[in-house]
Coordinates of all heavy atoms in Angstrom, one line a residue:
M1 N -9.5 -0.6 -11.6 CA -10.0 -0.3 -10.3 C -9.5 -1.4 -9.4 O -9.6 -2.6 -9.7 CB -11.5 -0.2 -10.3 CG -12.0 0.2 -9.0 SD -13.8 0.4 -8.8 CE -14.3 1.5 -10.1
A2 N -9.1 -1.0 -8.2 CA -8.7 -2.0 -7.2 C -9.8 -2.9 -6.7 O -11.0 -2.4 -6.6 CB -8.1 -1.3 -6.0
K3 N -9.5 -4.2 -6.6 CA -10.6 -5.1 -6.1 C -10.6 -5.1 -4.6 O -9.6 -5.2 -3.9 CB -10.2 -6.5 -6.5 CG -11.3 -7.5 -6.1 CD -10.9 -8.9 -6.7 CE -12.0 -9.9 -6.2 NZ -11.7 -11.3 -6.7
V4 N -11.7 -4.7 -4.0 CA -11.9 -4.6 -2.5 C -12.8 -5.8 -2.1 O -13.9 -6.0 -2.5 CB -12.6 -3.3 -2.2 CG1 -12.8 -3.2 -0.7 CG2 -11.7 -2.1 -2.7
T5 N -12.2 -6.6 -1.1 CA -13.0 -7.7 -0.6 C -14.2 -7.1 0.2 O -14.1 -6.2 1.0 CB -12.1 -8.5 0.4 OG1 -11.0 -8.9 -0.3 CG2 -12.9 -9.7 0.9
Q6 N -15.4 -7.7 -0.1 CA -16.6 -7.2 0.6 C -17.0 -8.2 1.6 O -16.8 -9.4 1.4 CB -17.7 -7.0 -0.5 CG -17.4 -5.9 -1.4 CD -17.3 -4.5 -0.7 OE1 -18.0 -4.2 0.2 NE2 -16.4 -3.7 -1.2
P7 N -17.7 -7.9 2.6 CA -17.9 -6.5 3.0 C -16.7 -6.0 3.8 O -15.9 -6.7 4.3 CB -19.1 -6.6 4.0 CG -19.0 -8.0 4.6 CD -18.4 -8.9 3.5
V8 N -16.6 -4.7 3.7 CA -15.5 -4.0 4.5 C -16.0 -4.0 6.0 O -17.1 -3.6 6.3 CB -15.3 -2.6 4.0 CG1 -14.3 -1.9 4.9 CG2 -14.8 -2.6 2.6
T9 N -15.2 -4.5 6.9 CA -15.6 -4.6 8.3 C -14.5 -3.9 9.2 O -13.5 -3.6 8.7 CB -15.7 -6.1 8.7 OG1 -14.4 -6.7 8.7 CG2 -16.6 -6.9 7.9
D10 N -14.8 -3.8 10.4 CA -13.9 -3.2 11.4 C -12.6 -3.9 11.4 O -11.5 -3.4 11.5 CB -14.4 -3.1 12.8 CG -15.3 -2.0 13.0 OD1 -15.3 -1.0 12.2 OD2 -16.0 -1.9 14.1
D11 N -12.6 -5.3 11.2 CA -11.4 -6.1 11.2 C -10.6 -5.9 10.0 O -9.4 -6.3 10.0 CB -11.8 -7.6 11.4 CG -12.3 -7.8 12.8 OD1 -12.0 -7.0 13.7 OD2 -13.0 -8.9 13.0
S12 N -11.2 -5.5 8.9 CA -10.5 -5.3 7.6 C -9.7 -4.0 7.5 O -8.9 -3.8 6.7 CB -11.4 -5.5 6.4 OG -12.3 -4.5 6.4
I13 N -10.0 -3.0 8.4 CA -9.3 -1.8 8.4 C -8.0 -1.9 9.2 O -8.1 -2.3 10.3 CB -10.2 -0.7 9.0 CG1 -11.5 -0.5 8.2 CG2 -9.4 0.7 9.1 CD1 -12.5 0.4 8.9
K14 N -6.9 -1.7 8.5 CA -5.6 -2.0 9.1 C -4.9 -0.7 9.7 O -4.0 -0.9 10.6 CB -4.7 -2.6 8.1 CG -5.2 -3.9 7.6 CD -5.4 -4.9 8.7 CE -6.0 -6.2 8.2 NZ -6.5 -7.1 9.3
V15 N -5.2 0.5 9.3 CA -4.6 1.7 9.8 C -5.7 2.6 10.3 O -6.7 2.9 9.6 CB -3.8 2.4 8.7 CG1 -3.2 3.7 9.3 CG2 -2.6 1.5 8.2
R16 N -5.5 3.0 11.6 CA -6.6 3.8 12.2 C -5.9 5.0 12.9 O -4.7 5.0 13.2 CB -7.3 3.0 13.3 CG -8.1 1.9 12.7 CD -8.9 1.2 13.8 NE -9.8 0.2 13.3 CZ -11.0 0.4 12.9 NH1 -11.5 1.6 13.0 NH2 -11.8 -0.6 12.4
Q17 N -6.7 6.1 13.1 CA -6.2 7.3 13.7 C -6.4 7.2 15.2 O -7.4 6.8 15.7 CB -6.9 8.5 13.1 CG -6.3 9.8 13.6 CD -6.8 11.0 12.9 OE1 -7.4 10.9 11.8 NE2 -6.6 12.2 13.4
L18 N -5.3 7.7 15.9 CA -5.4 7.7 17.4 C -6.2 8.8 17.8 O -6.0 10.0 17.4 CB -3.9 7.8 17.9 CG -3.8 7.8 19.4 CD1 -4.2 6.5 20.0 CD2 -2.3 8.1 19.8
S19 N -7.2 8.5 18.7 CA -8.1 9.5 19.2 C -7.7 9.9 20.6 O -7.7 11.1 21.0 CB -9.6 9.0 19.3 OG -10.0 8.5 18.1
H20 N -7.4 8.9 21.5 CA -7.0 9.2 22.9 C -6.0 8.1 23.3 O -5.9 7.1 22.6 CB -8.2 9.1 23.8 CG -9.3 10.1 23.5 ND1 -10.2 9.8 22.5 CD2 -9.6 11.3 24.0 CE1 -11.1 10.9 22.5 NE2 -10.7 11.8 23.4
Y21 N -5.2 8.4 24.3 CA -4.3 7.4 24.8 C -4.2 7.6 26.4 O -4.6 8.6 26.9 CB -2.9 7.5 24.2 CG -2.2 8.8 24.5 CD1 -1.3 8.9 25.6 CD2 -2.4 10.0 23.7 CE1 -0.7 10.1 25.9 CE2 -1.7 11.1 24.0 CZ -0.9 11.2 25.1 OH -0.2 12.4 25.3
Q22 N -3.8 6.5 27.0 CA -3.6 6.5 28.5 C -2.5 5.6 28.9 O -2.5 4.4 28.5 CB -5.0 6.1 29.1 CG -4.9 6.0 30.6 CD -6.2 5.6 31.2 OE1 -7.3 5.8 30.6 NE2 -6.2 5.0 32.4
F23 N -1.6 6.1 29.6 CA -0.5 5.3 30.2 C -1.0 4.7 31.6 O -1.7 5.4 32.3 CB 0.7 6.1 30.5 CG 1.5 6.4 29.2 CD1 1.4 7.6 28.6 CD2 2.4 5.4 28.7 CE1 2.1 7.8 27.4 CE2 3.2 5.7 27.6 CZ 3.0 6.9 26.9
T24 N -0.7 3.5 31.9 CA -1.0 3.0 33.2 C 0.3 2.3 33.7 O 1.1 1.9 33.0 CB -2.1 1.9 33.2 OG1 -1.8 0.9 32.3 CG2 -3.4 2.6 32.7
W25 N 0.3 2.1 35.0 CA 1.4 1.4 35.7 C 0.8 0.4 36.6 O -0.1 0.8 37.4 CB 2.3 2.3 36.4 CG 3.4 1.6 37.2 CD1 4.6 1.2 36.6 CD2 3.5 1.3 38.5 NE1 5.4 0.6 37.6 CE2 4.7 0.6 38.8 CE3 2.6 1.5 39.6 CZ2 5.1 0.2 40.0 CZ3 3.0 1.0 40.9 CH2 4.2 0.4 41.1
V26 N 1.2 -0.9 36.6 CA 0.6 -1.9 37.4 C 1.8 -2.4 38.3 O 2.8 -2.8 37.8 CB 0.0 -3.1 36.6 CG1 -0.5 -4.2 37.5 CG2 -1.0 -2.6 35.6
A27 N 1.6 -2.4 39.6 CA 2.6 -2.8 40.5 C 3.0 -4.3 40.3 O 2.1 -5.1 40.0 CB 2.2 -2.6 41.9
G28 N 4.2 -4.6 40.4 CA 4.7 -6.0 40.4 C 4.6 -6.6 41.8 O 4.2 -6.0 42.7
G29 N 5.0 -7.8 41.9 CA 5.1 -8.5 43.2 C 6.1 -7.9 44.1 O 6.9 -7.0 43.6
P30 N 6.3 -8.3 45.3 CA 7.3 -7.8 46.2 C 8.7 -7.9 45.6 O 9.1 -8.9 45.1 CB 7.2 -8.7 47.4 CG 5.8 -9.2 47.4 CD 5.5 -9.3 45.9
G31 N 9.4 -6.7 45.5 CA 10.7 -6.7 44.9 C 10.8 -6.8 43.4 O 11.8 -6.7 42.8
A32 N 9.6 -6.9 42.7 CA 9.6 -7.0 41.3 C 9.2 -5.6 40.7 O 8.6 -4.8 41.3 CB 8.6 -8.0 40.8
R33 N 9.6 -5.4 39.4 CA 9.3 -4.2 38.7 C 7.8 -4.2 38.4 O 7.2 -5.2 38.1 CB 10.1 -4.1 37.5 CG 11.6 -4.0 37.7 CD 12.4 -3.9 36.4 NE 13.1 -2.6 36.5 CZ 13.6 -2.0 35.5 NH1 13.5 -2.6 34.3 NH2 14.3 -0.9 35.6
G34 N 7.3 -3.0 38.2 CA 5.9 -2.8 37.7 C 5.9 -2.9 36.2 O 6.9 -3.0 35.6
T35 N 4.7 -2.9 35.7 CA 4.5 -2.9 34.2 C 3.8 -1.7 33.8 O 2.8 -1.3 34.3 CB 3.6 -4.2 33.9 OG1 4.3 -5.3 34.4 CG2 3.4 -4.3 32.4
I36 N 4.4 -1.1 32.7 CA 3.8 0.1 32.1 C 3.0 -0.3 30.8 O 3.6 -1.0 30.0 CB 4.8 1.2 31.8 CG1 5.6 1.6 33.0 CG2 4.2 2.4 31.0 CD1 6.8 2.5 32.7
T37 N 1.8 0.1 30.7 CA 1.0 -0.1 29.5 C 0.6 1.2 28.9 O 0.5 2.2 29.6 CB -0.2 -1.0 29.7 OG1 -1.1 -0.3 30.6 CG2 0.2 -2.4 30.3
L38 N 0.4 1.2 27.6 CA -0.1 2.3 26.8 C -1.4 1.8 26.1 O -1.3 0.9 25.3 CB 0.9 2.8 25.8 CG 0.4 3.8 24.8 CD1 -0.1 5.1 25.5 CD2 1.6 4.2 23.9
Q39 N -2.5 2.4 26.5 CA -3.8 2.0 25.9 C -4.1 3.0 24.8 O -4.0 4.3 25.0 CB -5.0 2.1 26.9 CG -6.3 1.8 26.2 CD -7.5 1.8 27.2 OE1 -7.3 2.2 28.4 NE2 -8.6 1.5 26.8
L40 N -4.3 2.5 23.6 CA -4.6 3.4 22.4 C -6.1 3.3 22.1 O -6.6 2.2 22.0 CB -3.8 3.0 21.2 CG -2.3 2.8 21.4 CD1 -1.7 2.3 20.1 CD2 -1.7 4.2 21.7
V41 N -6.8 4.4 22.0 CA -8.2 4.4 21.6 C -8.2 5.0 20.2 O -7.7 6.1 19.9 CB -9.1 5.3 22.5 CG1 -10.5 5.4 22.0 CG2 -9.0 4.8 23.9
L42 N -8.6 4.2 19.2 CA -8.5 4.5 17.8 C -9.8 4.7 17.2 O -10.8 4.1 17.5 CB -7.8 3.3 17.1 CG -6.4 2.9 17.7 CD1 -6.0 1.5 17.3 CD2 -5.4 3.9 17.4
D43 N -9.8 5.7 16.2 CA -11.1 6.0 15.5 C -12.3 6.2 16.5 O -13.3 5.6 16.3 CB -11.4 5.0 14.5 CG -10.4 5.1 13.3 OD1 -9.7 6.1 13.1 OD2 -10.4 4.1 12.5
E44 N -12.0 7.1 17.5 CA -13.1 7.4 18.5 C -13.7 6.2 19.2 O -14.9 6.2 19.4 CB -14.2 8.3 17.8 CG -13.7 9.6 17.3 CD -13.2 10.5 18.3 OE1 -13.6 10.4 19.5 OE2 -12.3 11.4 18.0
G45 N -12.9 5.2 19.4 CA -13.4 4.0 20.1 C -13.8 2.8 19.2 O -14.2 1.8 19.8
A46 N -13.6 2.9 17.9 CA -14.0 1.8 17.0 C -13.0 0.6 17.3 O -13.4 -0.5 17.0 CB -13.9 2.3 15.6
W47 N -11.8 0.9 17.8 CA -10.8 -0.1 18.0 C -10.0 0.3 19.2 O -9.7 1.5 19.4 CB -9.9 -0.3 16.8 CG -9.1 -1.5 16.8 CD1 -7.8 -1.6 17.4 CD2 -9.3 -2.8 16.2 NE1 -7.3 -2.9 17.2 CE2 -8.3 -3.6 16.4 CE3 -10.4 -3.2 15.4 CZ2 -8.2 -4.9 16.0 CZ3 -10.4 -4.5 15.0 CH2 -9.3 -5.4 15.3
E48 N -9.5 -0.6 20.0 CA -8.6 -0.3 21.1 C -7.4 -1.3 21.0 O -7.6 -2.4 20.6 CB -9.3 -0.4 22.4 CG -10.3 0.7 22.6 CD -10.9 0.7 24.0 OE1 -10.2 0.2 25.0 OE2 -12.0 1.2 24.2
E49 N -6.3 -0.8 21.5 CA -5.1 -1.7 21.5 C -4.4 -1.3 22.8 O -4.3 -0.2 23.3 CB -4.2 -1.3 20.3 CG -3.1 -2.2 20.1 CD -3.4 -3.5 19.3 OE1 -4.5 -3.5 18.7 OE2 -2.6 -4.4 19.3
V50 N -3.8 -2.3 23.5 CA -3.0 -2.1 24.7 C -1.6 -2.6 24.4 O -1.4 -3.8 24.1 CB -3.6 -2.8 25.9 CG1 -2.7 -2.6 27.2 CG2 -5.0 -2.2 26.2
L51 N -0.6 -1.8 24.6 CA 0.8 -2.1 24.4 C 1.5 -2.1 25.7 O 1.3 -1.2 26.6 CB 1.5 -1.1 23.5 CG 0.7 -0.8 22.2 CD1 1.4 0.4 21.4 CD2 0.7 -2.0 21.3
T52 N 2.4 -3.1 25.9 CA 3.3 -3.1 27.1 C 4.6 -2.4 26.7 O 5.2 -2.8 25.7 CB 3.6 -4.5 27.6 OG1 2.3 -5.1 27.9 CG2 4.4 -4.5 28.8
V53 N 5.0 -1.4 27.4 CA 6.2 -0.6 27.1 C 7.2 -0.5 28.3 O 6.7 -0.6 29.4 CB 5.9 0.8 26.5 CG1 5.1 0.7 25.2 CG2 5.1 1.6 27.6
D54 N 8.5 -0.3 28.0 CA 9.4 -0.1 29.2 C 9.4 1.4 29.5 O 8.8 2.2 28.7 CB 10.8 -0.7 28.9 CG 11.5 0.0 27.8 OD1 11.2 1.1 27.4 OD2 12.4 -0.7 27.2
A55 N 10.1 1.7 30.6 CA 10.1 3.1 31.0 C 10.7 4.1 30.0 O 10.2 5.2 29.8 CB 10.8 3.2 32.4
D56 N 11.8 3.7 29.4 CA 12.4 4.5 28.4 C 11.5 4.8 27.2 O 11.3 5.9 26.7 CB 13.7 4.0 27.9 CG 14.8 4.0 29.0 OD1 14.7 4.8 29.9 OD2 15.7 3.1 28.9
D57 N 10.8 3.7 26.7 CA 9.9 3.9 25.6 C 8.7 4.7 26.0 O 8.2 5.6 25.2 CB 9.4 2.5 25.1 CG 10.5 1.8 24.3 OD1 11.5 2.4 23.9 OD2 10.3 0.5 24.1
A58 N 8.2 4.6 27.2 CA 7.1 5.4 27.7 C 7.4 6.8 27.7 O 6.6 7.7 27.3 CB 6.6 4.9 29.1
D59 N 8.6 7.2 28.1 CA 9.1 8.6 28.1 C 9.1 9.2 26.7 O 8.6 10.2 26.5 CB 10.5 8.6 28.8 CG 10.9 10.1 29.0 OD1 10.1 10.9 29.4 OD2 12.1 10.3 28.8
V60 N 9.7 8.4 25.8 CA 9.8 8.9 24.4 C 8.4 9.0 23.8 O 8.1 10.0 23.1 CB 10.7 7.9 23.6 CG1 10.6 8.3 22.1 CG2 12.1 8.0 24.0
L61 N 7.6 8.0 24.0 CA 6.2 8.0 23.4 C 5.4 9.2 24.0 O 4.7 9.8 23.3 CB 5.5 6.7 23.7 CG 6.0 5.5 22.8 CD1 5.5 4.2 23.3 CD2 5.6 5.7 21.4
Q62 N 5.5 9.4 25.3 CA 4.8 10.6 25.9 C 5.2 11.9 25.2 O 4.3 12.7 24.9 CB 5.1 10.6 27.4 CG 4.4 11.8 28.1 CD 2.9 11.8 28.0 OE1 2.3 10.8 28.2 NE2 2.3 12.9 27.6
D63 N 6.5 12.1 24.9 CA 6.9 13.3 24.3 C 6.4 13.4 22.8 O 5.8 14.4 22.4 CB 8.5 13.3 24.2 CG 9.1 13.5 25.5 OD1 8.4 14.0 26.5 OD2 10.3 13.3 25.7
L64 N 6.5 12.3 22.1 CA 5.9 12.3 20.7 C 4.4 12.5 20.7 O 3.9 13.2 19.9 CB 6.3 10.9 20.0 CG 7.7 10.7 19.6 CD1 8.0 9.3 19.3 CD2 8.1 11.7 18.5
L65 N 3.7 11.8 21.6 CA 2.2 11.9 21.6 C 1.8 13.3 22.0 O 0.8 13.8 21.4 CB 1.6 10.9 22.5 CG 1.7 9.4 22.0 CD1 1.4 8.5 23.1 CD2 0.8 9.2 20.8
S66 N 2.5 14.0 22.9 CA 2.1 15.3 23.3 C 2.5 16.4 22.3 O 1.9 17.5 22.3 CB 2.7 15.6 24.7 OG 4.1 15.7 24.6
E67 N 3.4 16.1 21.4 CA 3.9 17.1 20.4 C 3.3 16.9 19.0 O 3.6 17.7 18.2 CB 5.4 17.1 20.4 CG 6.0 17.5 21.7 CD 7.5 17.4 21.8 OE1 8.1 17.1 20.7 OE2 8.1 17.6 22.8
T68 N 2.6 15.8 18.8 CA 2.1 15.5 17.4 C 0.6 15.5 17.4 O 0.0 14.9 18.2 CB 2.6 14.1 17.0 OG1 4.0 14.0 17.2 CG2 2.3 13.8 15.5
S69 N 0.1 16.3 16.5 CA -1.4 16.5 16.4 C -2.1 15.3 15.7 O -3.3 15.1 16.0 CB -1.7 17.8 15.7 OG -1.3 17.8 14.4
T70 N -1.5 14.6 14.8 CA -2.1 13.5 14.1 C -1.2 12.3 14.2 O 0.0 12.3 13.8 CB -2.3 13.8 12.6 OG1 -3.1 15.0 12.5 CG2 -3.0 12.7 11.9
V71 N -1.8 11.2 14.8 CA -1.0 10.0 15.0 C -1.9 8.8 14.4 O -3.1 8.8 14.7 CB -0.7 9.7 16.4 CG1 0.0 8.4 16.6 CG2 0.1 10.8 17.0
H72 N -1.3 7.9 13.6 CA -2.0 6.8 13.1 C -1.3 5.5 13.7 O -0.2 5.5 14.1 CB -1.9 6.7 11.6 CG -2.8 7.8 11.0 ND1 -2.3 9.0 10.7 CD2 -4.1 7.8 10.6 CE1 -3.3 9.8 10.2 NE2 -4.4 9.0 10.1
Y73 N -2.1 4.4 13.7 CA -1.6 3.1 14.2 C -1.9 2.1 13.2 O -3.1 1.9 12.8 CB -2.3 2.8 15.6 CG -1.8 1.6 16.2 CD1 -0.5 1.5 16.8 CD2 -2.6 0.4 16.3 CE1 0.0 0.3 17.4 CE2 -2.1 -0.7 16.9 CZ -0.8 -0.8 17.4 OH -0.4 -1.9 18.0
D74 N -0.9 1.3 12.8 CA -1.1 0.2 11.9 C -1.3 -1.0 12.8 O -0.3 -1.5 13.5 CB 0.2 0.1 11.0 CG 0.0 -1.0 10.0 OD1 -0.5 -2.1 10.3 OD2 0.5 -0.8 8.8
I75 N -2.5 -1.6 12.8 CA -2.8 -2.6 13.7 C -2.0 -3.9 13.4 O -1.5 -4.5 14.3 CB -4.4 -2.9 13.5 CG1 -5.1 -1.7 14.1 CG2 -4.8 -4.2 14.3 CD1 -6.6 -1.7 13.7
S76 N -1.9 -4.3 12.1 CA -1.3 -5.6 11.8 C 0.2 -5.5 12.1 O 0.8 -6.5 12.5 CB -1.5 -6.0 10.4 OG -1.0 -5.0 9.5
R77 N 0.9 -4.3 11.9 CA 2.3 -4.2 12.2 C 2.6 -3.7 13.6 O 3.8 -3.6 14.0 CB 2.9 -3.3 11.1 CG 2.9 -3.9 9.7 CD 3.7 -3.1 8.7 NE 3.1 -1.7 8.6 CZ 3.8 -0.7 8.2 NH1 5.0 -0.8 7.9 NH2 3.2 0.5 8.2
R78 N 1.6 -3.3 14.3 CA 1.7 -2.7 15.7 C 2.7 -1.6 15.7 O 3.6 -1.5 16.4 CB 2.1 -3.8 16.7 CG 1.1 -4.9 16.8 CD 1.4 -5.9 17.9 NE 0.8 -5.2 19.1 CZ 1.2 -5.6 20.3 NH1 2.1 -6.5 20.5 NH2 0.6 -5.0 21.3
T79 N 2.4 -0.6 14.8 CA 3.3 0.5 14.5 C 2.6 1.8 14.7 O 1.6 2.1 14.0 CB 3.9 0.4 13.1 OG1 4.5 -0.8 12.9 CG2 4.9 1.6 12.8
L80 N 3.1 2.7 15.5 CA 2.6 4.1 15.6 C 3.3 5.0 14.6 O 4.5 4.9 14.4 CB 2.9 4.7 17.0 CG 1.9 4.2 18.1 CD1 2.5 4.6 19.5 CD2 0.5 4.9 17.9
M81 N 2.5 5.8 13.9 CA 3.1 6.7 12.9 C 2.7 8.1 13.3 O 1.5 8.4 13.4 CB 2.5 6.3 11.5 CG 2.9 4.9 11.1 SD 2.1 4.3 9.6 CE 0.5 3.9 10.3
F82 N 3.7 9.0 13.4 CA 3.5 10.3 14.0 C 3.5 11.3 12.9 O 4.5 11.4 12.1 CB 4.6 10.6 15.0 CG 4.6 9.7 16.2 CD1 5.3 8.5 16.2 CD2 3.8 10.0 17.2 CE1 5.3 7.6 17.3 CE2 3.7 9.1 18.3 CZ 4.5 8.0 18.3
G83 N 2.5 12.2 12.9 CA 2.4 13.3 11.9 C 2.0 12.9 10.5 O 2.0 11.7 10.2
V84 N 1.5 13.9 9.8 CA 1.1 13.7 8.4 C 1.8 14.8 7.6 O 1.7 15.9 7.9 CB -0.4 13.7 8.3 CG1 -0.8 13.6 6.8 CG2 -1.1 12.7 9.1
T85 N 2.4 14.4 6.5 CA 3.0 15.4 5.6 C 2.4 15.2 4.3 O 2.5 14.1 3.7 CB 4.6 15.1 5.5 OG1 5.1 15.2 6.8 CG2 5.2 16.2 4.6
P86 N 1.8 16.2 3.7 CA 1.2 16.1 2.4 C 2.3 15.9 1.3 O 3.4 16.3 1.5 CB 0.5 17.5 2.2 CG 1.0 18.4 3.2 CD 1.7 17.6 4.3
V87 N 1.9 15.1 0.3 CA 2.9 14.9 -0.8 C 3.3 16.2 -1.4 O 2.4 17.1 -1.6 CB 2.2 14.0 -1.9 CG1 3.1 13.8 -3.1 CG2 1.8 12.7 -1.3
G88 N 4.6 16.4 -1.6 CA 5.1 17.7 -2.2 C 5.2 18.8 -1.1 O 5.6 19.9 -1.4
G89 N 4.9 18.4 0.1 CA 4.9 19.4 1.2 C 6.2 19.6 1.9 O 7.1 18.8 1.8

């Protein structure tokens, strides 16, 4: 049996399911570009993460997020994982 460090806490969970997301744009200074962020709400609010993305990434991510029903986020690697395929499926 695998040894699990006790107690299991919110900080010890490394992969969470994306519940909601929100893109934001913050204006830059005069003549400067704005900043696009992507806020991830994970496990119905148990964890949140804010990522800074460029316009091209935001466009691709919006497409993937709107077309994929299940998305997970690996907190320690800061990686979004799209879709779930059953083994042998």
Side-chain angles (χ1 to χ4, degrees):
M1 184 180 308
K3 184 177 179 182
V4 177
T5 305
Q6 294 297 327
V8 176
T9 65
D10 277 346
D11 290 338
S12 65
I13 299 170
K14 298 300 179 198
V15 176
R16 295 184 174 270
Q17 187 167 346
L18 181 63
S19 306
H20 300 84
Y21 65 92
Q22 177 178 338
F23 284 96
T24 59
W25 178 80
V26 179
R33 299 180 118 195
T35 302
I36 299 171
T37 63
L38 171 57
Q39 178 183 4
L40 307 174
V41 178
L42 307 160
D43 289 344
E44 299 296 335
W47 193 275
E48 291 187 23
E49 190 86 14
V50 177
L51 309 173
T52 302
V53 297
D54 65 24
D56 291 334
D57 287 346
D59 186 42
V60 170
L61 287 168
Q62 177 63 47
D63 290 344
L64 287 167
L65 290 166
S66 65
E67 295 174 8
T68 308
S69 61
T70 304
V71 178
H72 289 88
Y73 183 72
D74 184 317
I75 294 166
S76 60
R77 294 186 299 155
R78 300 190 81 201
T79 304
L80 280 166
M81 298 170 282
F82 297 91
V84 176
T85 302
V87 175

